[in-house]
């Protein structure tokens, strides 16, 4: 989800700066709302679990895309096995094709230990932009947060209540343990925020997220969980009304960027030097420990070789709270 969300400001800038261009963006249907309302963008939802599953599904997707529209060029922003096959099919049909350079060797040097090369690498948004530049398009990125508040609907208000005080959103979880602030420390963050006149709104997607967030909602009067209660469209509207979002190095930070909402981000095994800081988000709003083995992973999916996840446990909940209170 985060990877797809990061493409949105790049695609918006590309279309703004190239008025004669139109784009068909191919991704999973669940992400369609990210691109809603973008002029000259046609979203093609590809369900990779059903009719476009496996190698035969890739062939079906290629055939359906060719029927859907005529293309002058293909930009592969993902560079996985599926997209490699798809782009080569287009290349064989005579289309100009370019793909992202993920900088794998640089990222390996960044995450090795010892003798890591701890230096900022190219931002992922720039890697996306480079694909379009190689196709011959002009594209400059300004990395500005653009606040896009949307009015709360009755359906959202039925879950959250009216906004009468600052709202702090929290996406407490990430896909991997190396990117997730320990649950007991996150609970302490939530408890400490109760000493201030704010409402905490919890976001998530899985059944486990729902269970934990429901427990916190029951335990603390200033907390509301919207996990699995709202649609993606409704969550984006709600995010636009937040004063700040607290996120891991995960999708919550990138969804905040889509609506121009500042994000305080907690980083453990990963590092923003790998290029994944949310578009327009500030390095000053990063909460992280400077333990020498960090980062040990680009995506946070490697087990901690120390076994203690000190990079996350060394972070004080009060430090996180202090970063959030700057926005309320």
């Amino acid at each position: 989800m985060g990877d797809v969300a990061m493409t949105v400001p790049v695609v918006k800038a590309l279309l703004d700066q190239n008025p004669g261009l139109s784009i068909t963006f191919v991704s999973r249907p669940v992400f369609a709302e990210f691109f809603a309302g973008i002029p000259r963008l046609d979203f093609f939802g590809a369900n990779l679990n059903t009719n476009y599953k496996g190698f035969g599904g890739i062939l079906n997707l290629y055939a359906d895309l060719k029927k859907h529209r005529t293309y002058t060029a293909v930009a592969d922003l993902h560079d996985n096995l599926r997209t490699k096959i798809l782009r080569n099919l287009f290349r064989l049909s005579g289309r100009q094709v370019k793909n992202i350079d993920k900088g794998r060797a640089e990222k390996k040097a960044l995450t090795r230990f010892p003798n890591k090369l701890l230096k900022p690498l190219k931002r992922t948004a720039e890697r996306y932009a480079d694909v379009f530049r190689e196709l011959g398009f002009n594209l400059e990125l300004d990395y500005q947060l653009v606040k896009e508040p949307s009015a709360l609907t009755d359906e959202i208000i039925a879950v959250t209540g009216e906004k009468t005080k600052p709202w702090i959103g929290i996406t407490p979880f990430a896909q991997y343990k190396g990117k997730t602030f320990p649950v007991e420390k996150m609970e302490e963050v939530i408890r400490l925020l109760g000493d201030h006149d704010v409402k905490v709104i919890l976001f998530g997607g899985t059944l486990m997220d729902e269970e934990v967030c429901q427990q916190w909602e029951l335990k603390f009067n200033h907390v509301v969980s919207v996990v699995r209660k709202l649609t993606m469209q409704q969550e984006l509207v709600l995010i636009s009304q937040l004063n700040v979002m607290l996120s891991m190095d995960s999708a919550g930070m990138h969804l905040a960027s889509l609506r121009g909402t500042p994000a305080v981000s907690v980083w453990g095994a990963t590092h923003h030097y790998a290029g994944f800081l949310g578009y327009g988000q500030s390095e000053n709003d990063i909460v992280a420990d400077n333990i020498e083995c960090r980062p040990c992973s680009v995506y946070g999916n490697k087990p901690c070789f120390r076994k203690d996840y000190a990079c996350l446990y060394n972070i004080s909940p009060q430090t996180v709270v202090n970063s959030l209170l700057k926005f309320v």
Side-chain angles (χ1 to χ4, degrees):
M1 182 184 293
D3 289 347
V4 178
M6 280 191 291
T7 68
V8 177
V10 178
V11 170
K12 279 185 175 180
L14 176 68
L15 290 166
D16 286 345
Q17 296 170 33
N18 297 270
L21 176 66
S22 62
I23 290 175
T24 296
F25 197 99
V26 185
S27 191
R28 295 179 185 270
V30 69
F31 303 135
E33 194 58 39
F34 295 174
F35 301 88
I38 300 178
R40 308 192 314 281
L41 188 142
D42 166 41
F43 185 88
F44 187 101
N47 192 326
L48 304 176
N49 298 320
T50 55
N51 48 326
Y52 299 126
K53 183 178 181 180
F55 181 73
I58 298 173
L59 297 179
N60 290 336
L61 178 57
Y62 171 66
D64 288 349
L65 285 171
K66 287 190 70 177
K67 293 176 186 175
H68 181 71
R69 207 169 185 184
T70 300
Y71 313 98
T72 56
V74 174
D76 178 2
L77 303 183
H78 197 26
D79 192 38
N80 69 354
L81 179 59
R82 183 185 293 111
T83 60
K84 286 177 181 177
I85 295 170
L86 190 60
R87 78 184 187 225
N88 281 319
L89 290 170
F90 276 106
R91 181 180 282 113
L92 290 172
S93 70
R95 299 295 176 265
Q96 186 183 14
V97 174
K98 297 294 180 182
N99 61 275
I100 187 172
D101 175 4
K102 291 187 173 181
R104 290 183 174 91
E106 300 170 277
K107 290 173 181 175
K108 186 175 181 179
L110 175 69
T111 55
R112 71 190 179 199
F113 184 78
N115 302 319
K116 67 171 69 269
L117 293 179
L118 188 62
K119 64 176 184 179
L121 305 183
K122 183 178 289 188
R123 300 184 191 195
T124 299
E126 287 295 334
R127 295 185 187 275
Y128 292 146
D130 282 345
V131 181
F132 297 112
R133 292 167 183 146
E134 289 173 10
L135 288 171
F137 297 102
N138 296 318
L139 180 53
E140 297 295 330
L141 303 179
D142 61 12
Y143 295 98
Q144 297 298 309
L145 279 182
V146 179
K147 191 67 173 176
E148 297 182 0
S150 302
L152 296 172
T153 63
D154 292 340
E155 292 81 6
I156 298 172
I157 293 171
V159 177
T160 64
E162 296 279 2
K163 185 175 182 180
T164 59
K165 60 181 68 176
W167 280 1
I168 296 177
I170 300 181
T171 52
F173 304 106
Q175 184 175 4
Y176 301 113
K177 185 174 180 179
K179 295 203 299 186
T180 305
F181 201 42
V183 66
E184 66 274 16
K185 283 182 167 283
M186 183 57 78
E187 181 170 318
E188 179 65 6
V189 168
I190 293 171
R191 187 191 69 77
L192 290 170
L193 287 171
D195 295 335
H196 304 272
D197 191 25
V198 301
K199 176 177 281 189
V200 171
I201 301 177
L202 303 176
F203 295 81
T206 70
L207 289 171
M208 185 203 75
D209 296 353
E210 182 180 29
E211 181 180 351
V212 175
C213 291
Q214 279 182 344
Q215 292 173 3
W216 285 336
E217 182 179 40
L218 292 171
K219 190 170 184 177
F220 301 106
N221 293 330
H222 62 291
V223 172
V224 171
S225 171
V226 300
V227 181
R228 302 171 67 87
K229 296 177 183 177
L230 300 176
T231 65
M232 178 62 72
Q233 180 185 28
Q234 290 169 332
E235 285 197 359
L236 289 171
V237 170
L238 179 54
I239 289 170
S240 78
Q241 291 286 343
L242 299 177
N243 293 71
V244 62
M245 174 72 88
L246 172 62
S247 174
M248 310 298 102
D249 167 22
S250 61
M253 169 177 57
H254 302 298
L255 297 183
S257 289
L258 292 187
R259 289 297 182 263
T261 297
V264 170
S265 50
V266 176
W267 298 64
T270 60
H271 200 292
H272 71 283
Y273 279 4
F276 295 107
L277 183 64
Y279 191 92
Q281 302 296 345
S282 172
E283 293 183 10
N284 295 328
D285 299 323
I286 291 172
V287 180
D289 187 69
N290 291 325
I291 191 169
E292 63 178 353
C293 54
R294 179 179 170 268
C296 64
S297 174
V298 175
Y299 304 109
N301 55 336
K302 295 180 180 179
C304 175
F305 73 88
R306 289 173 48 112
K307 312 297 183 186
D308 60 359
Y309 291 92
C311 57
L312 287 161
Y313 278 94
N314 287 350
I315 298 172
S316 160
Q318 187 63 60
T319 300
V320 177
V321 169
N322 291 344
S323 295
L324 291 169
L325 292 179
K326 294 186 299 181
F327 296 95
V328 300

